Amino acid sequence: MKKNLLLLSLLLYATYIFAQETDSVKNTVFHFASTRPSFSEGILLVPSGKAQVELGAAYSYFDGNAHEIHHPDFNFKYGISKYFELRINGDATTYKSGDSRQTGLHPVFIGVKLKMIDAKRYAPGSSFIGGLSTSFISTKNFRTKYVAPFFKITMEQFLPKNVGLVYNYGLVWNGEDAKPTYNFAVAASYTKLLKCTTAEKQHQIKYFFEFYGIYPHGAKVDIRLNNGVSYLLNRFIQFDISVGAGLLKNSPRVITSAGLVVRFPKKDKEKSKKKD
């Protein structure tokens, strides 16, 4: 299994290497604000007046022939202003272990993302993500007793030569008791423009590698590694794929995901008036 995981990781990296653009002087990287496909998240918000939909499927395999399948993960975002973003996210999940199988919709999360500090040169910027889980928007088998809060602090640095660094720390409650689950993440990324990039169309590939942990209070910590590639077809559509693995006994042996991000452009009011 580990050999297969290594081969998949090398395949992803090879895809990134061979799709590079050689002339990066005439063009600049477009920083696309997307949560997918990593566990870690950067500081950027969806632009004001624009909506964004992020959809993906994920699969995790655990020791003991246990499987976790997300079908799909979804995240809806809307930019209220350059400092404020509204977001709704959740997942439909199947858990399978031996002859046991359970499928349903987990409580949907409703929250916001706030810009706090702009990134400047080598100094990191920062954003705040927070909100509540809605126990009533879920299937009965995954419904929780209470509405539960969550929050995350994100920090990001935009370094020379299209390198980025991201740091996250957050807490989320499960809606059943007062014990939080702590999570943290550190990620590095490298973005490269493709040869087909023009002034009108943006084509770029972003490779990321991350180390993250999930620690339910009073339980065992779960440490994981993940890496992947996202392909920006233009300034409105992104495809992604990732593969990773857990480092501890209770962590998943294999983690895979693939998805799509679509941003809907803001209508130009002046153009629409002229047409009328």
Side-chain angles (χ1 to χ4, degrees):
M1 188 67 72
K2 289 185 178 180
K3 289 182 179 179
N4 292 335
L5 180 62
L6 180 60
L7 286 172
L8 283 170
S9 297
L10 291 173
L11 207 69
L12 286 172
Y13 188 69
T15 302
Y16 151 72
I17 289 293
F18 289 113
Q20 293 184 23
E21 184 221 5
T22 56
D23 182 12
S24 59
V25 177
K26 296 180 182 179
N27 303 288
T28 56
V29 166
F30 177 67
H31 294 290
F32 190 73
S34 170
T35 302
R36 294 200 53 82
S38 58
F39 179 85
S40 56
E41 183 167 353
I43 64 170
L44 300 178
L45 281 66
V46 172
S48 175
K50 292 186 178 181
Q52 185 165 301
V53 176
E54 304 183 11
L55 297 172
Y59 169 76
S60 299
Y61 174 80
F62 295 80
D63 283 340
N65 197 29
H67 311 264
E68 181 180 325
I69 307 165
H70 293 236
H71 49 84
D73 290 318
F74 60 89
N75 200 335
F76 172 79
K77 304 176 181 178
Y78 185 78
I80 304 297
S81 73
K82 67 185 217 176
Y83 298 102
F84 185 86
E85 173 189 286
L86 175 68
R87 45 174 55 194
I88 300 171
N89 64 282
D91 62 86
T93 305
T94 294
Y95 298 97
K96 186 178 178 182
S97 181
D99 296 329
S100 175
R101 182 187 180 95
Q102 191 176 27
T103 300
L105 175 68
H106 283 114
V108 171
F109 293 89
I110 298 177
V112 297
K113 185 174 184 179
L114 306 173
K115 180 196 286 188
M116 296 193 297
I117 304 172
D118 283 318
K120 294 181 180 179
R121 200 173 176 84
Y122 297 107
S126 181
S127 291
F128 171 83
I129 300 170
L132 296 171
S133 68
T134 58
S135 59
F136 51 90
I137 307 179
S138 62
T139 53
K140 290 183 178 180
N141 55 335
F142 289 159
R143 192 158 295 167
T144 57
K145 292 181 181 179
Y146 312 105
V147 170
F150 68 92
F151 77 86
K152 181 185 287 187
I153 302 294
T154 73
M155 299 184 73
E156 184 171 13
Q157 291 175 270
F158 299 103
L159 302 177
K161 298 185 179 180
N162 303 337
V163 174
L165 293 176
V166 171
Y167 323 93
N168 290 177
Y169 176 76
L171 280 80
V172 59
W173 281 260
N174 59 18
E176 298 292 341
D177 53 47
K179 297 179 180 180
T181 294
Y182 308 92
N183 58 73
F184 67 88
V186 179
S189 65
Y190 181 73
T191 305
K192 195 71 176 181
L193 296 170
L194 303 184
K195 292 181 180 180
C196 50
T197 296
T198 64
E200 293 76 25
K201 292 186 178 181
Q202 192 83 16
H203 298 274
Q204 63 189 43
I205 280 185
K206 181 178 181 180
Y207 171 77
F208 78 91
F209 179 84
E210 65 179 350
F211 170 84
Y212 66 96
I214 302 167
Y215 173 50
H217 184 77
K220 294 180 179 179
V221 66
D222 180 353
I223 304 294
R224 306 179 184 186
L225 292 176
N226 190 30
N227 79 130
V229 174
S230 61
Y231 169 54
L232 193 65
L233 180 64
N234 52 48
R235 292 174 183 262
F236 303 103
I237 300 175
Q238 175 185 279
F239 301 95
D240 64 74
I241 185 171
S242 65
V243 60
L247 301 181
L248 303 179
K249 289 183 178 180
N250 58 305
S251 304
R253 298 301 91 196
V254 177
I255 311 162
T256 61
S257 73
L260 167 70
V261 180
V262 178
R263 177 177 294 176
F264 298 94
K266 183 179 179 181
K267 292 183 179 179
D268 192 328
K269 292 182 180 180
E270 292 184 1
K271 288 183 178 180
S272 60
K273 285 181 181 179
K274 289 179 181 179
K275 288 181 180 179
D276 295 337

